[in-house]
Amino acid sequence: CSRASNSAAFPPSTAPPIDASCGSLYENHRSEITAAYYLADGNLSRLEQVLRERGLRCNRRWLTVFLDRWGVRTVQRRA
């Protein structure tokens, strides 16, 4: 199994794809994470809580990376 080297160094839109066969928690549970994101109305703290209640221990930082990469979360920049 080979992961894309240093994929965190790329902006989400240009990051190399991650091989789901490697067992990435985020890729393997993509549909559940996405559904929970909408259930939590985009609130990342609530999303983390919902996923933990379902037995998925996800890190908020990586949730944002993957949600951005999947095009689910729109990044809101402060003015």
Side-chain angles (χ1 to χ4, degrees):
C1 171
S2 65
R3 289 190 185 268
S5 63
N6 200 12
S7 64
F10 294 89
S13 61
T14 61
I18 292 178
D19 184 359
S21 67
C22 291
S24 165
L25 171 76
Y26 301 91
E27 290 293 345
N28 290 338
H29 294 279
R30 181 178 180 166
S31 60
E32 187 172 359
I33 291 170
T34 302
Y37 176 77
Y38 290 116
L39 179 69
D41 292 325
N43 181 309
L44 294 174
S45 295
R46 177 71 181 129
L47 171 61
E48 215 175 8
Q49 181 181 11
V50 167
L51 292 173
R52 285 185 179 167
E53 289 170 358
R54 295 179 183 181
L56 294 174
R57 299 208 37 99
C58 295
N59 178 286
R60 181 180 172 157
R61 168 70 179 116
W62 284 107
L63 284 169
T64 62
V65 168
F66 280 91
L67 289 168
D68 290 345
R69 181 178 295 161
W70 298 332
V72 174
R73 180 176 172 263
T74 56
V75 179
Q76 297 177 359
R77 297 182 180 166
R78 293 183 181 171

